[in-house]
Amino acid sequence: MMKRVLTVLQIYFISQFGCGTQEFRKNVLKRTSQGNHYGDIRANLEVAVEKVLEVSREPEPPADKLLYNNSDDEENVLESHYNEVLTHAVRKDLAMSIKELLQHGLMEVGQSSSLVPFVGCFTDRSKGPTKMMHAWDLVLKYYEMKHGQNYNKSPVRTLSQSFDLDIIGSKAVTAKQTLLSCVGSVIASHGPLKRSEDSHFKALICMALNERKLITWLRLILKTTSLIDFYYQPWSYVVKTKFEDTFQALEKLNMINFILPVDLAVRQFTSIKDAF
């Protein structure tokens, strides 16, 4: 109710005082359900899921087409073998479709739904164009809210990682802990090399599929009420649907045993570093 009142106030200020440029007025329209619907991007997800399913049914590349690197180490050769077509379908189609749905109705960077929406009338017009939050930004917000950095520095995390343990003491490692661990791993591998937000997000999606936790991890993030209330518009896909129909579509992928590379965006740089 409060968000609706603020939206009405925004429209009133614009009509009474004429504040805002034409671009600002367009942005106001985009922030309403009439100006921004998720139908097309939701359809794109269905297409992406079907493409991944179709590619996964194709036979694996023959042994003579393994992707060899410059190392004589057999273990490294085997690790470099993966289904390129499937990986491409996941990274370029599936991950980006999930990204678009998560970004539908996200706030601009530096803003949240707790701020008065007509603040744009009084902002400095000399500033450059605003940047919308990326899906990876949302993941980072969750990571911060759940104190992910502290967890990844804790002895429990170090022990479970060193020995690949699912149980520490008498307590099982939870889905939230594995999510925080994997987000921390992506930050550690991609951050220093200044990889893009898309690259970070694709790596996390690949990790989630490899771990068979894509739906579980997305639920953890999107069930965080404070996160959703703070960063999403009321007309967003996440708020309107709770992402439930997307979860149903993604369940079709549970039959696939994914073995996806998670370091494609940094592999070439790592190889160069190792060479020296």
Side-chain angles (χ1 to χ4, degrees):
M1 177 62 71
M2 180 60 69
K3 291 180 181 178
R4 292 180 181 178
V5 172
L6 292 176
T7 301
V8 172
L9 286 173
Q10 181 184 30
I11 295 173
Y12 173 79
F13 267 74
I14 292 173
S15 62
Q16 293 298 314
F17 301 104
C19 59
T21 62
Q22 183 177 2
E23 183 65 26
F24 177 76
R25 293 168 187 264
K26 288 180 180 179
N27 288 337
V28 171
L29 178 60
K30 289 179 182 179
R31 293 170 187 167
T32 66
S33 58
Q34 292 83 3
N36 198 335
H37 195 264
Y38 51 78
D40 290 342
I41 56 177
R42 178 62 184 83
N44 289 340
L45 177 83
E46 289 290 341
V47 173
V49 169
E50 291 302 320
K51 182 174 182 179
V52 171
L53 289 171
E54 180 181 354
V55 170
S56 70
R57 298 187 189 104
E58 298 177 358
E60 286 287 327
D64 61 349
K65 291 187 178 180
L66 290 177
L67 302 178
Y68 289 91
N69 56 26
N70 294 325
S71 172
D72 293 328
D73 188 341
E74 182 180 357
E75 181 179 351
N76 288 337
V77 172
L78 293 177
E79 285 182 351
S80 68
H81 172 226
Y82 61 90
N83 189 324
E84 285 187 276
V85 179
L86 181 59
T87 300
H88 186 275
V90 168
R91 290 175 63 88
K92 298 294 185 181
D93 298 304
L94 181 65
M96 293 298 93
S97 295
I98 295 173
K99 180 197 78 169
E100 292 299 326
L101 286 172
L102 288 174
Q103 289 180 183
H104 183 268
L106 266 179
M107 296 292 178
E108 296 173 357
V109 172
Q111 293 189 359
S112 73
S113 58
S114 66
L115 298 177
V116 179
F118 50 81
V119 69
C121 292
F122 309 104
T123 57
D124 183 2
R125 297 181 185 178
S126 64
K127 292 182 179 179
T130 57
K131 177 185 177 184
M132 304 307 295
M133 280 185 68
H134 192 281
W136 178 247
D137 293 324
L138 184 71
V139 173
L140 291 180
K141 295 296 182 183
Y142 174 85
Y143 186 75
E144 293 169 5
M145 282 185 175
K146 301 302 179 180
H147 308 290
Q149 187 173 12
N150 291 337
Y151 167 72
N152 283 319
K153 290 181 178 179
S154 68
V156 171
R157 157 63 177 145
T158 303
L159 184 62
S160 64
Q161 183 183 37
S162 299
F163 296 96
D164 194 22
L165 299 177
D166 293 327
I167 298 178
I168 300 297
S170 60
K171 295 183 179 180
V173 177
T174 66
K176 184 181 81 170
Q177 289 172 325
T178 59
L179 172 56
L180 295 177
S181 174
C182 286
V183 172
S185 295
V186 174
I187 293 172
S189 60
H190 287 59
L193 295 172
K194 309 298 183 184
R195 296 296 85 196
S196 67
E197 293 163 326
D198 274 1
S199 295
H200 283 76
F201 188 74
K202 289 174 184 177
L204 184 65
I205 294 298
C206 289
M207 283 185 172
L209 290 171
N210 288 345
E211 297 287 335
R212 294 183 178 273
K213 294 185 183 297
L214 177 58
I215 295 176
T216 301
W217 288 357
L218 287 174
R219 282 191 187 278
L220 283 172
I221 295 171
L222 299 179
K223 290 290 185 181
T224 307
T225 305
S226 57
L227 190 71
I228 305 307
D229 289 346
F230 204 70
Y231 292 109
Y232 275 101
Q233 299 280 4
W235 47 261
S236 66
Y237 173 76
V238 167
V239 172
K240 287 292 187 181
T241 70
K242 311 300 181 186
F243 229 68
E244 289 299 328
D245 58 328
T246 290
F247 292 145
Q248 292 178 12
L250 294 176
E251 284 178 357
K252 301 175 185 177
L253 303 178
N254 289 339
M255 66 181 70
I256 305 174
N257 182 28
F258 288 99
I259 307 176
L260 302 167
V262 299
D263 62 345
L264 282 185
V266 300
R267 181 175 292 182
Q268 59 180 329
F269 301 99
T270 304
S271 299
I272 293 173
K273 182 180 178 181
D274 291 342
F276 294 94

